[in-house]
Amino acid sequence: MTAILSRILAAHRDQPGALLPVLHEVQEAFGFIPPETVPAIAGALNLSRAEVHGVISYYHYFRQRPAGRHVVRVCCAEACQAVGGEALAEHAKARLAGSELTLEPVYCLGLCACGPAVQVDETQLHAAMTPAKFDALVARLESER
Ligand code: FES
């Protein structure tokens, strides 16, 4: 981990506003932001650990623990909210509590005309999602080996 982190930090050390690009690259490399990387990131960018933690927790995109087998993103942006996205997000939260799947909010998947929209990993998009369709999708993902 140290060599990868050092390479990322060296590439951005003198760049203004380097924190977000660094966090993106750390998450790309490790799948999440390992807590033990925070002191090194803060030190290299001359920031406090609290500042780094603040940015990590502000952006939903950054994961503080490894993702589950699949990442399920429910759109929480306005157009989807207007057609049942909020209820779907609540349903998803209850359905995935304790699941091996990771639930994350996302803010627009480009399917605004046929929401609520859901994305699985980086590859599958699902439009006009309902709680029943969501349960069927989750059951399929959970049964995959
Ligand atoms: S608002 Fe949900 S896909 Fe655009």
Side-chain angles (χ1 to χ4, degrees):
M1 176 186 298
T2 315
I4 297 171
L5 182 61
S6 300
R7 183 181 46 72
I8 293 170
L9 291 173
H12 293 280
R13 197 174 295 269
D14 299 319
Q15 181 187 330
L19 181 55
L20 285 175
V22 163
L23 292 175
H24 277 281
E25 287 188 30
V26 169
Q27 180 153 302
E28 206 170 288
F30 303 112
F32 70 117
I33 313 287
E36 59 272 26
T37 63
V38 170
I41 294 171
L45 302 182
N46 207 16
L47 298 167
S48 70
R49 291 178 194 194
E51 286 172 302
V52 177
H53 272 299
V55 170
I56 294 169
S57 43
Y58 179 78
Y59 291 100
H60 296 289
Y61 173 81
F62 295 124
R63 273 186 217 113
Q64 299 186 58
R65 59 191 67 81
R69 253 188 319 134
H70 293 286
V71 177
V72 179
R73 297 188 176 92
V74 175
C75 180
C76 294
E78 204 175 323
C80 284
Q81 293 278 289
V83 292
E86 201 170 329
L88 179 67
E90 282 305 313
H91 176 82
K93 204 166 156 185
R95 174 62 185 82
L96 294 183
S99 165
E100 279 183 83
L101 309 183
T102 295
L103 177 65
E104 292 181 347
V106 67
Y107 294 88
C108 198
L109 292 163
L111 290 173
C112 320
C114 42
V118 167
Q119 183 184 43
V120 178
D121 302 324
E122 300 296 327
T123 50
Q124 299 173 35
L125 288 173
H126 299 270
M129 188 55 75
T130 63
K133 283 165 68 178
F134 185 84
D135 288 349
L137 173 66
V138 166
R140 182 171 58 72
L141 293 171
E142 287 179 332
S143 70
E144 281 175 6
R145 288 283 135 212

